[in-house]
Each structure stands twice: as C-alpha cells, then as structure tokens.
Amino acid sequence: MRLAPFLALLLAAWATTPPPTAAERAERWWADVSTLAADDMEGRLTGTPGYQRAADYVVTQLEEIGLEPAGTDGFFQPVAFEEQFVDAAGSSAALVSAGRETPLAIPGDIIIGRGDGRRPERIEAPLVFVGYGLHMPEAGHDDFAGIDLSGKIAVVISGGPADVSGALKAHARRDRARLLSERGAAGLLSLTTAKAVEVPWARSMAQAGQSGMYFADPALRDVKTEFFNASFNTESSEKLFTGSGRTFAEISALADASRPLPRFDLKPALRASVAMRHRPVTSSNVVARLPGSDRRLRSEHVVFSAHLDHLGTSTPINGDGLYNGAMDNAAGVAGLLDIARSYKARRLKPRRSMLFVFVTAEEKGLLGSRYFALRPTVPKSSIVANMNFDMALPIFPLKSVTALGSEESSLGATAAAVGQSMGLPLVPDPFPDRNAFVRSDQYSFIREGVPALAFKFGFGKDDPEAEVERQWRSTRYHAPSDDLAQPVARADAIRLHDFVGELALRVANAPERPTWSGQSFFRRFAR
Ligand SMILES: [Zn+2]
C-alpha cells in the first residue's frame, strides 16, 4: 500500500472518532479519582512527596489532553510557605480568675490554630465576648463597634443575624482575624453552639497535630502580626461564662435563633504558652491553558479551579489514618480533566482562552488559590470569571444544581439558562450559614474582583438528600473514610461537568465579560 492513501485513511478514521460516551467518560473520570485518592498518594498533603506525585500525575494527563503549560515553570507555579506546628504536649493554657487558675486541656478543651500567621509564644489577656464577631457596617451590624479590643482576646460564637445574606456573613467571618488584629486585639477564641457543630470535637482533636501554613512572604499574609487564634470545645464552653452573669446555654439558644447577642467582658483571662516549630515548605499550583480562538478575546481567560491537596495522614480513626480525599477533592480535580478532555474531543474552540488551575494548600486556608489570584501567571485583568469545583458531592442523583454565588453576578443568569436547557434547575444554598461561598478557592478570585461560582449537587434543606448529605458530613467529611469505598453517582457527576463545561463555554464566547450584580456585597472588590 502506498503511504498517502494509508495516511488519508488514518486521518479520516481519526477525524471521525466519535467523542467518548457519557459512560466512557464516567469510567475515565473514576479512574482519575481512583489514582488521585489511592493510598500511595498519601493524602496529598501540601508540601509532601504524595502531593507532588499527584501534581505530576495531573501534568501527564494535561500533556496527553494537549493543553499548554501556563505556570511559571512549565505547568508548575511554585509557592513558598512557612509551616507551623503546635506541640500540644509542650503547650499549656488556663483560665485565670481572681488569682485562681483553672487549667485547660489541649486539645481536649481548646485547640490552638496553626494557620493564618504566627502564634505568640506566650499570652495572658482578658476575654471579651463580642457576639457573632461580625463586622458588617453596610448591613447595620458591627459587633466590634464601641468595644475596646486593645490587648484583649475576642470571644465569638457561631451564627449571625438572620436578615443578612449568607455571603456577607461568611465574608465577615473569614475576615475576622485580620480585622481584630488591625484593631489591636491579641487574639480570637471561637465557640460553636452544639447545634452548629459540623465536625465532632474528637475529629478536630485527631487533626490538631497537623501543621498550619501561611505565606513565607509576610506581605502576602492577611494577619500580619503575631495573633492568638483558637477554638473551644462546645462541651467545655460553659466555664468561660462563669461569673459573667450569663451562661453559654443561654447565649447558644439566642445564637441558634439568630437573635441579637449581648456583648460583655468575661470574668476569666486566658493564659497560654504555645510550643511551636516552623519550617519552610514549597508546593506548586498546576496551571494549563486551552488557547482561545478569537483574535481579540483570546487574551482574556475563564479560569477553572479545583484544589489538589488534602489532609495527608494523621491519628488513625478506626485503624485508618490516611485521608484519601476522594470527594474532597480528587473528584473535583478529575472533573476539570473530564471537562478539558470533553472540550478537546469535541474540538471546541472557545473565543476566550480557558485556564485549568489545580491549586495547592486549600486545606491550609485557600492559600494556593490566593497566591494564584494575587500573582496570576496571566495578566490579572485578563481573568473574567472563575468556576470552582470542590466537593460537589455526587453522592445522590443529580436533580438540580447549587451554584454558590449565583445571586452575586451575571454568572447566575447564565448558569440558570444552561440549567434550563439541561433540565437542571438552580436551587439556592440549602445551608447558607455554613459559609460555603467563602470556604473554597472561588473566594480567592472574588477577593480580587473576579465574578465566580462554585458547584454542588443541589437539594432543598427538607429533601431526603439533606439527610444523606448530613450523614456524609458527620462521618466522611475530613475523615479517612472519604475514600474510594463509598457510593458515588458517577454518571451524574459527568452531567454536572457538562453543565459547568457548557456554562464556561457560554462565558468564554459571550461578547461581554461577566459583571457583579448592583447590590452584591462582593462588588466592592471589583477593579
Ligand atoms: Zn477539605
């Protein structure tokens, strides 16, 4: 056979290869999840060889798909961190009242935070209860107003006023430590009502030995001074209120009902000494580009993101100490790969360029995405939107989609239109008080003015799925059992990818870039 007809035949065969079926994609997606969440990735902890193996695997997939490297070092964008360990055995804490000292168990009563900047080695400071600890002057609510915080530890409780948007409360919570440190406070102590407990204290204790991280470059940190930051066991919280004329039970009841809270001095002071170790760590984001086709618009970017890191290994729970992170967030990483493969297989040529960003250190406080959003590998002003995948939770059939942030920008209307075309209604966040909108990487983009959405399998708070989801959170969330041996709605996951893929395509092809809604609180970050 002569070469030319043979080649022509081969090319014809290649050109007519049909895109993979949904079933084939589901199988491929699950294969990627299985590789990323396998035991030999050792829980993909930021800065570990296991994380690097997972990053290398993603790079081989991106090369195979045929995306361009768009990091600072090929596909990689290295980020420098300082890692902080708190040694519980070498640390101590006590409540001091009228010269009497009541020792606190670390981590039984109090867990000292490791992230968000350096802790002081020693602290003794009065405690002041400041309600929800939310600074939201635009909503006519400011728990810090008129309170002298200088040198004090602010004690706050979960929840917030009912008439304020979940997004705004969530932002105020996230920004709390920075605001307090800027007002001269010495620290922050967070309380949770029994009803609002999401992660049982025993599980938080199991992870208390894990390190925290913050940027090696202090200029990039939110909290720039040494600042005490700790959470208190709900079961132990009553003792903070002794002698104040109020009880934790009474305050909890008000907080659970989103009622206004009193602010007052607590009787005891907190005394603590913190034994710490620090070391430098480098870990990389992975960045790939699908170039756009429009001469003018291809210099702009729609950014997909999903965090690649997870919790590593820790104290065993039921004999298992390896945090595989299958749903959190191997599934999201594999989801981005599925979307990229599907674009390529369908030979789609979006007008704007697309970036696929796999970020590090999400579990350390959204640090990899924060770094990317502050120091993007493309011009900052060229980023028009962010679509984030983190724990979409394909653990029941997909009947609707929750797009976190959909009320905040024009992306919401585009998402609703895509949903309508696919028979997938958009439903609001069933639990707005969980702060989901600021709890994952989309928030890093929002803070830099970029309209963003994050995606979840939808349900209403009174649907049976709410119970499935609640069960999942109480047993598998941030637990070793978030592994490959759990029921997963694989075909439904692919449908969600199609939803997000189509949405991103519409955004990439639209003549105008997305805009913040007129009333959105987050509009203030637009530049
Ligand atoms: Zn997580």
Side-chain angles (χ1 to χ4, degrees):
M1 196 198 282
R2 282 182 301 132
L3 193 61
F6 173 73
L7 261 180
L9 213 71
L10 201 76
L11 279 171
W14 175 72
T16 55
T17 306
T21 63
E24 286 163 345
R25 283 171 58 198
E27 200 170 311
R28 183 61 214 258
W29 171 73
W30 187 249
D32 285 336
V33 176
S34 302
T35 302
L36 292 164
D39 283 358
D40 62 359
M41 295 294 180
E42 298 171 305
R44 307 186 304 279
L45 183 69
T46 301
T48 63
Y51 176 85
Q52 189 55 46
R53 275 197 294 282
D56 290 340
Y57 175 76
V58 168
V59 168
T60 62
Q61 299 310 302
L62 295 170
E63 283 172 335
E64 197 185 292
I65 294 167
L67 298 189
E68 295 175 353
T72 50
D73 173 15
F75 286 96
F76 295 114
Q77 181 192 35
V79 188
F81 300 106
E82 182 166 272
E83 188 172 27
Q84 174 166 260
F85 293 87
V86 170
D87 169 28
S91 302
S92 65
L95 296 176
V96 186
S97 188
R100 285 185 43 145
E101 191 170 296
T102 313
L104 298 171
I106 305 175
D109 294 320
I110 184 172
I111 294 178
I112 298 169
R114 288 81 72 201
D116 220 7
R118 282 218 178 202
R119 298 290 88 87
E121 278 176 37
R122 225 162 266 291
I123 185 169
E124 179 159 354
L127 299 172
V128 55
F129 181 73
V130 292
Y132 301 113
L134 299 175
H135 172 75
M136 310 181 289
E138 55 278 277
H141 182 107
D142 184 1
D143 287 319
F144 305 149
I147 300 246
D148 175 18
L149 292 157
S150 176
K152 296 181 185 169
I153 295 174
V155 180
V156 303
I157 196 161
S158 52
D163 57 352
V164 179
S165 80
L168 176 43
K169 279 183 277 195
H171 167 76
R173 253 170 231 136
R174 186 105 213 165
D175 215 21
R176 193 146 59 187
R178 182 185 68 83
L179 285 169
L180 285 167
S181 73
E182 286 176 6
R183 280 163 174 68
L188 168 65
L189 190 58
S190 303
L191 315 183
T192 310
T193 72
K195 225 174 129 185
V197 167
E198 213 181 295
V199 173
W201 191 257
R203 205 180 315 150
S204 299
M205 282 175 66
Q207 284 159 16
Q210 285 218 340
S211 66
M213 284 185 191
Y214 38 85
F215 293 118
D217 179 355
L220 297 175
R221 297 179 200 160
D222 286 333
V223 181
K224 294 185 168 62
T225 55
E226 279 189 356
F227 189 75
F228 185 79
N229 199 336
S231 33
F232 220 79
N233 186 350
T234 300
E235 309 265 302
S236 315
S237 295
E238 199 63 77
K239 57 182 133 189
L240 292 166
F241 290 81
T242 309
S244 71
R246 312 261 185 180
T247 65
F248 177 64
E250 162 202 346
I251 298 291
S252 287
L254 290 171
D256 284 338
S258 302
R259 300 276 302 280
L261 294 178
R263 300 172 301 160
F264 50 93
D265 288 331
L266 296 170
K267 195 84 185 163
L270 184 84
R271 178 186 294 166
S273 83
V274 188
M276 294 168 286
R277 271 185 304 127
H278 300 96
R279 70 171 181 198
V281 161
T282 299
S283 182
S284 294
N285 294 327
V286 176
V287 191
R289 185 165 183 263
L290 175 66
S293 59
D294 183 271
R295 198 170 48 82
R296 196 175 55 86
L297 292 179
R298 71 179 165 220
S299 62
E300 297 186 345
H301 297 85
V302 174
V303 176
F304 289 101
S305 55
H307 76 86
L308 178 58
D309 68 303
H310 192 53
L311 300 170
T313 56
S314 189
T315 313
I317 295 176
N318 302 329
D320 185 1
L322 199 148
Y323 293 75
N324 302 80
M327 293 299 105
D328 183 14
N329 182 35
V333 169
L336 259 53
L337 295 174
D338 176 52
I339 291 171
R341 270 193 206 105
S342 144
Y343 282 165
K344 277 287 189 180
R346 291 156 64 203
R347 299 199 175 75
L348 293 179
K349 298 243 184 301
R351 297 176 68 198
R352 287 187 178 80
S353 299
M354 306 258 197
L355 282 188
F356 293 81
V357 185
F358 304 85
V359 296
T360 186
E362 188 272 350
E363 305 285 10
K364 302 295 185 186
L366 316 184
L367 294 177
S369 58
R370 175 85 175 133
Y371 188 83
F372 182 86
L374 285 171
R375 306 267 164 91
T377 57
V378 296
K380 203 174 191 176
S381 60
S382 79
I383 300 177
V384 306
N386 170 240
M387 311 272 156
N388 188 49
F389 266 95
D390 184 9
M391 266 174 50
L393 286 187
I395 54 174
F396 43 75
L398 184 72
K399 295 186 208 148
S400 60
V401 175
T402 292
L404 299 170
S406 59
E407 321 81 45
E408 310 294 340
S409 74
S410 61
L411 292 172
T414 314
V418 172
Q420 189 151 43
S421 72
M422 292 181 66
L424 285 172
L426 283 200
V427 298
D429 182 358
F431 303 113
D433 269 341
R434 274 185 191 162
N435 298 344
F437 192 52
V438 306
R439 274 170 74 169
S440 188
D441 295 304
Q442 68 276 0
Y443 193 55
S444 297
F445 292 92
I446 294 164
R447 287 178 68 187
E448 297 309 307
V450 179
L453 292 176
F455 305 95
K456 304 273 179 188
F457 272 48
F459 60 89
K461 71 176 172 38
D462 299 318
D463 293 348
E465 287 88 349
E467 179 54 22
V468 177
E469 204 254 10
R470 196 195 61 76
Q471 272 291 332
W472 190 91
R473 282 188 185 265
S474 68
T475 57
R476 295 192 195 268
Y477 175 58
H478 281 195
S481 55
D482 176 15
D483 60 14
L484 296 165
Q486 61 181 312
V488 174
R490 300 181 197 181
D492 297 81
I494 301 304
R495 265 190 92 210
L496 182 67
H497 303 161
D498 280 340
F499 171 94
V500 179
E502 174 60 27
L503 168 59
L505 210 55
R506 288 193 193 186
V507 175
N509 290 337
E512 304 296 334
R513 49 202 286 171
T515 51
W516 290 98
S517 308
Q519 322 83 310
S520 173
F521 165 80
F522 299 102
R523 190 188 173 91
R524 69 184 55 199
F525 299 118
R527 41 203 90 198

